[in-house]
């Protein structure tokens, strides 16, 4: 799961939107007292981000009469103490947390989340089917999906035009593009894996394009092995890219901020990362960018997709009705439009962008995601938001080991398969 400032802000907004209520793991309520919901979110980047959230939440307070008290924790602390906080009498009413079995799924299994299945029907919340599935555990729905994220390949359209290069559709196209850029003295792809999680995106995008949505679902379901040839081949491509210098020098020693700076400065002509990067482009790039799915071995690939943190209600909240009202606020078309304009995020539902002030590249991504999510094509999967921690550690360490030459792709694939069995 990426941990960019934009994600945190998006999560925070969602969290703010969620108030607490409770179906109950215990009779002890969480919360902030009468007519106040405590909303626990991941730490925001700065005071300005919090101010924007609070201004938006003021609209909810004005319409509902319910105050929202925002509390923040850094991501690592959040993961460590969240279950304890949710069991506490003074715990939050609403949290913003990651979707997927390893995150919200574990909380739901522990009986710490409020069942929203009936609230969906009563309030008519509209979200894309695949996004709703990510917050559904044991046949019950436990959250509003957070903003959507796609992972693909950004390219410098000005450099491509100057060199007469078309965006790559196949892996062989990508190899040819990298050779042309290298000959022109341009680093083909900005990449840094010092933080380990970016490496999981390399595997997510290459594997999603190679095996498609059905193939990814077979891997998650255990119907296909993580040491299958397709997984080994996906890792092998990145081994090849690194060996040829297409990822710059020593990518494992490069952090995420340096990686993005390499692209924004024009030093590198492509960057494999997620849709959250559009906001950085709008602020920091003085050239036009394009955004395409990562190429597939034999044709056009698919975007890998995932969800950021979204609002969920604590099972022991004292104010279920107020909390559901807050989620209803965040599930609205108006909130989705506010998110697009103010956070440049992709809501997990169709959004009418007519009349909105939206970056053209984001508008394109919104249109593409809407078409794909409503049956017009396929979306792949961002692996680390769906797999348990032991698997993710094997994947993070494994991609770094491939890039440093300490392990072969086959060895890493075998380690991931072993971790998937734990």
């Amino acid at each position: 799961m990426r941990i960019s400032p934009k994600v945190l802000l998006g999560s925070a907004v969602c969290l703010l939107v969620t108030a607490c209520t409770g179906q109950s793991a215990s009779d002890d309520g969480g919360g902030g007292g009468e007519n106040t919901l405590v909303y626990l979110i991941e730490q925001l980047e700065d005071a300005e981000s919090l101010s924007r959230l609070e201004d938006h939440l003021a609209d909810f307070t004005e319409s509902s009469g319910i105050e929202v008290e925002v509390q923040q924790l850094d991501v690592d602390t959040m993961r460590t103490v969240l279950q304890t906080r949710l069991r506490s009498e003074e715990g939050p009413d609403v949290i913003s947390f990651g979707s997927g079995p390893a995150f919200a799924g574990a909380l739901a299994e522990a009986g710490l989340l409020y069942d929203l299945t009936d609230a969906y029907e009563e309030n008519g919340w509209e979200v894309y089917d695949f996004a709703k599935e990510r917050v559904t555990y044991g046949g019950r729905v436990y959250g509003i999906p957070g903003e959507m994220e796609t992972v693909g390949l950004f390219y410098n359209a000005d450099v491509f035009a100057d060199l007469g290069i078309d965006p790559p559709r196949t892996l062989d196209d990508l190899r040819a593009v990298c050779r042309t850029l290298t000959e022109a003295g341009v680093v083909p792809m900005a990449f840094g894996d010092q933080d380990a999680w970016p490496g999981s995106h390399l595997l997510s995008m290459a594997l999603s394009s190679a095996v498609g949505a059905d193939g990814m679902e077979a891997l998650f379901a255990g119907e296909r092995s993580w040491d299958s040839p397709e997984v080994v081949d996906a890792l092998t491509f990145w081994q090849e890219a690194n060996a040829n210098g297409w990822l710059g020098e020593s990518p494992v020693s490069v952090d995420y901020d340096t990686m993005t700076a390499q692209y924004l400065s024009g030093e590198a002509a492509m960057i494999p990362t997620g849709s959250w990067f559009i906001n950085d482009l709008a602020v920091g790039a003085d050239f036009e960018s394009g955004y395409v799915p990562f190429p597939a071995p034999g044709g056009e690939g698919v975007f890998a997709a995932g969800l950021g943190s979204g609002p969920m209600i604590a099972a022991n909240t004292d104010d279920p009705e107020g909390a559901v009202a807050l989620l209803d606020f965040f599930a609205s078309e108006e909130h989705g439009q506010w998110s697009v304009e103010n956070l440049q995020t992709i809501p997990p539902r169709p959004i009418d962008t007519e009349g909105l002030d939206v970056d053209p590249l984001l508008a394109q991504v919104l249109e593409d995601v809407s078409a794909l999510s409503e049956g017009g094509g396929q979306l792949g999967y961002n692996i680390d938001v769906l797999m348990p921690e032991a698997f993710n550690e094997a994947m993070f360490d494994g991609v770094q080991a491939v890039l440093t030459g300490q392990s072969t792709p086959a060895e890493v694939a075998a380690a991931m398969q072993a971790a998937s069995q734990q």
Side-chain angles (χ1 to χ4, degrees), residues 168-223:
R169 294 182 66 254
T170 70
L171 280 184
D172 283 344
D173 290 344
L174 180 57
R175 291 182 174 98
V177 166
C178 288
R179 292 186 191 104
T180 300
L181 290 167
T182 299
E183 291 170 0
V186 180
V187 176
M189 286 184 271
F191 185 67
D193 200 29
Q194 185 182 80
D195 304 312
W197 57 265
S200 70
H201 294 160
L202 298 187
L203 180 59
S204 294
M205 65 179 77
L207 192 53
S208 289
S209 289
V211 304
D214 291 343
M216 294 298 289
E217 289 165 6
L219 285 163
F220 295 129
E223 298 166 355

Side-chain angles (χ1 to χ4, degrees), residues 34 110 145 155 296 332 341 379 384:
E34 186 174 356
Y155 63 92
S332 67
E341 276 199 308
L379 285 170
D384 64 344

